[in-house]
Amino acid sequence: MTTQRTATLTVGDKAVDFPIMSGTHGNDVIDIRTLGGKTGYFTYDSGFLSTASCQSKVTYIDGDKGELLYRGYPIEQLAENCNFLEVTYLLKNGELPNATQKTDFEKTIKSHTMVHEQLTKFYSGFRRDAHPMAVMTGVVGALSAFYHDAMDFSDSEHRNISFNRLVAKMPTIVAMAYKYSTGMPFMYPDNDLDYTSNFMRMMFGNPCEKYQPNPVLVRALDIIFTLHADHEQNASTSTVRLAGSSGANPFACIAAGIACLWGPAHGGANEACLQMLEEIGDVSRVGEYIKRAKDKNDSFKLMGFGHRVYKNFDPRAKLMGKVCADVLGELGLENDRLFKLAKELEKIALEDEYFVEKKLYPNVDFYSGIVQKALGIPTEMFTCIFALARTVGWMTQWEEMITDPEYKIGRPRQLYIGAARRDVVPLAQRG
């Protein structure tokens, strides 16, 4: 990174220079950290659309090219050649593991898959019909009450332990949230299985029968995990960083990230996509809803199409589209009503001039929701699956932040537009 060039801002008759910083890829940024002190002004950037909140080595997105890199590696190559725990190791450590490192890391994660038995009693405090993300927020936040032995986050070993615990326990916690909602007994981890097979067993197995993972379905879910592992400085990741900037423990920070992810404009998008398909109901009604989507006066929105960052095709969506075809073929669901409807919507979005012109291509949420439904995952659990995968990115970003010598507690400024200063009138004199 270089800071040799400067940008000049003229305020009144005063010109002030600010360094221009360049990264490996992407837009250069103007370093305005001294703006307030030099000029008495702040910048206004609602939604932080033009603001770099941090320096990061983890993930890079080029929205115009439709490119997503984890530690420099294209997401397509990682999804094709690596499993989720290899990608987890990469995000955490900056490099892909060799064979020995992969084996050791998988063994370490497996050693942390169990949760404290007392934690399982937290579930009974929720109604059976509680949304699983409400349960997740509470249970993950409660982890900090059980693991006091590694809370010195200036110690790299303590950070590693917290990372491993969260990555290992998240599948157990998610599966328990599902089992609780169905009234079925919890399934404890089986560490003879790999990470994703173990999760599917805890989700869909029962104590009465031997669970046999289907390798096609396991691979599909493993790819979903990889595609959702990190996505730069999105809303939930920024939430985790902001919470962590105060020195909060990582369990609390991840709980904050889960709460943010729950929003329908973020992690809840794939859930909203399936709800939209149910609303449309049948292929015969697609034309009607496409027309509504084009009508600017109609509140209906076609969920699962377009993306805030990608101005081209979401690279994850291309991968997910192939996975979707593999899963539907494996399960013989090509002619299922909902899936035929989804394929018709996909066809129109890729061919219709309106959608092509506005680049409203199917995004990863569109396909991942279909795949998860085909796998038997209930719609209300979709965002929990997202949170499971994104925990890896959240923890990586959290550690990067707290080990950054320049990091400070987050404190955005504001443009105040409320009442001007005024004095309180005694009660008897108020009209």
Side-chain angles (χ1 to χ4, degrees):
M1 183 183 65
T2 61
T3 58
Q4 298 162 345
R5 296 172 296 145
T6 60
T8 302
L9 174 66
T10 302
V11 182
D13 58 357
K14 183 178 182 181
V16 185
D17 290 334
F18 297 95
I20 295 176
M21 304 167 70
S22 300
T24 310
H25 294 296
N27 294 20
D28 292 346
V29 301
I30 302 169
D31 182 355
I32 59 165
R33 283 175 288 183
T34 59
L35 176 67
K38 288 181 175 179
T39 69
Y41 286 82
F42 299 130
T43 58
Y44 178 75
D45 184 17
S46 179
F48 308 111
L49 302 184
S50 298
T51 298
S53 61
C54 63
Q55 298 182 48
S56 181
K57 298 178 180 178
V58 182
T59 302
Y60 172 70
I61 299 169
D62 188 321
D64 293 327
K65 290 182 180 177
E67 183 177 63
L68 171 61
L69 308 177
Y70 289 172
R71 299 288 191 179
Y73 291 105
I75 190 65
E76 297 88 344
Q77 294 179 24
L78 292 171
E80 182 178 348
N81 297 295
C82 304
N83 67 24
F84 177 61
L85 282 189
E86 288 177 84
V87 173
T88 298
Y89 185 98
L90 167 69
L91 288 171
K92 171 73 168 65
N93 298 294
E95 298 294 342
L96 285 166
N98 59 33
T100 301
Q101 290 168 332
K102 178 177 182 289
T103 299
D104 290 346
F105 183 63
E106 289 174 346
K107 183 178 179 181
T108 297
I109 294 298
K110 286 180 178 181
S111 71
H112 289 289
T113 53
M114 289 286 289
V115 297
H116 195 289
E117 189 64 18
Q118 197 70 23
L119 188 74
T120 65
K121 294 179 171 55
F122 273 65
Y123 290 88
S124 61
F126 295 93
R127 288 170 46 134
R128 292 276 182 184
D129 61 353
H131 195 289
M133 284 294 280
V135 177
M136 289 282 295
T137 304
V139 172
V140 172
L143 286 171
S144 58
F146 291 85
Y147 302 105
H148 310 126
D149 57 325
M151 288 290 185
D152 178 6
F153 305 123
S154 65
D155 186 323
S156 62
E157 186 55 33
H158 283 206
R159 296 195 301 273
N160 287 339
I161 291 170
S162 294
F163 181 96
N164 294 336
R165 280 175 171 162
L166 272 159
V167 170
K169 297 179 194 306
M170 194 61 73
T172 311
I173 290 169
V174 171
M176 285 181 169
Y178 171 61
K179 289 297 192 185
Y180 181 74
S181 71
T182 62
M184 295 181 67
F186 294 154
M187 292 288 288
Y188 290 97
D190 180 351
N191 289 342
D192 287 334
L193 297 174
D194 64 74
Y195 186 87
T196 305
S197 296
N198 189 25
F199 172 65
M200 293 186 75
R201 175 188 165 276
M202 289 190 290
M203 280 283 289
F204 304 121
N206 68 70
C208 306
E209 301 170 359
K210 176 75 173 175
Y211 180 78
Q212 295 292 340
N214 179 320
V216 174
L217 306 187
V218 170
R219 180 61 181 151
L221 188 56
D222 197 79
I223 290 174
I224 287 178
F225 289 164
T226 291
L227 299 184
H228 288 85
D230 197 52
H231 209 238
E232 215 195 74
Q233 305 308 316
N234 53 80
S236 58
T237 299
S238 297
T239 298
V240 170
R241 278 181 171 264
L242 192 59
S245 74
S246 72
N249 70 76
F251 306 108
C253 295
I254 300 306
I258 291 170
C260 180
L261 188 70
W262 192 1
H266 193 8
N270 50 19
E271 184 176 345
C273 179
L274 261 290
Q275 290 169 349
M276 175 199 69
L277 291 176
E278 291 288 2
E279 179 185 343
I280 296 173
D282 189 80
V283 172
S284 63
R285 302 184 67 195
V286 168
E288 170 194 342
Y289 279 85
I290 290 291
K291 184 177 179 181
R292 290 184 60 188
K294 295 178 181 180
D295 185 353
K296 64 181 180 181
N297 296 316
D298 194 314
S299 61
F300 174 76
K301 285 184 170 49
L302 207 57
M303 303 302 295
F305 294 83
H307 195 278
R308 168 84 171 267
V309 174
Y310 296 109
K311 307 309 176 190
N312 207 314
F313 213 102
D314 182 342
R316 301 169 302 166
K318 291 182 179 179
L319 294 163
M320 209 67 250
K322 182 179 183 305
V323 169
C324 186
D326 291 343
V327 169
L328 297 184
E330 177 70 14
L331 297 174
L333 292 172
E334 300 96 331
N335 294 317
D336 179 90
R337 172 186 63 84
L338 211 59
F339 300 127
K340 285 181 71 175
L341 170 57
K343 295 302 287 183
E344 181 64 19
L345 272 177
E346 175 194 38
K347 180 175 182 292
I348 289 173
L350 293 176
E351 296 176 357
D352 187 283
E353 185 178 335
Y354 175 87
F355 291 96
V356 172
E357 182 183 333
K358 293 185 176 295
K359 298 185 177 179
L360 295 176
Y361 303 115
N363 60 36
V364 70
D365 297 310
F366 178 76
Y367 294 108
S368 68
I370 296 168
V371 172
Q372 289 182 71
K373 185 171 179 63
L375 294 176
I377 298 169
T379 307
E380 62 272 15
M381 288 295 300
F382 288 177
T383 317
C384 298
I385 303 296
F386 194 155
L388 187 167
R390 186 56 58 84
T391 294
V392 171
W394 287 336
M395 285 298 293
T396 300
Q397 299 268 356
W398 168 81
E399 181 170 23
E400 183 179 64
M401 181 204 64
I402 65 169
T403 56
D404 182 349
E406 293 187 349
Y407 108 88
K408 299 178 176 64
I409 184 171
R411 203 343 181 148
R413 310 303 300 209
Q414 67 172 12
L415 177 63
Y416 175 70
I417 56 173
R421 187 192 183 283
R422 49 187 171 169
D423 297 320
V424 175
V425 177
L427 179 60
Q429 298 176 22
R430 296 177 206 163

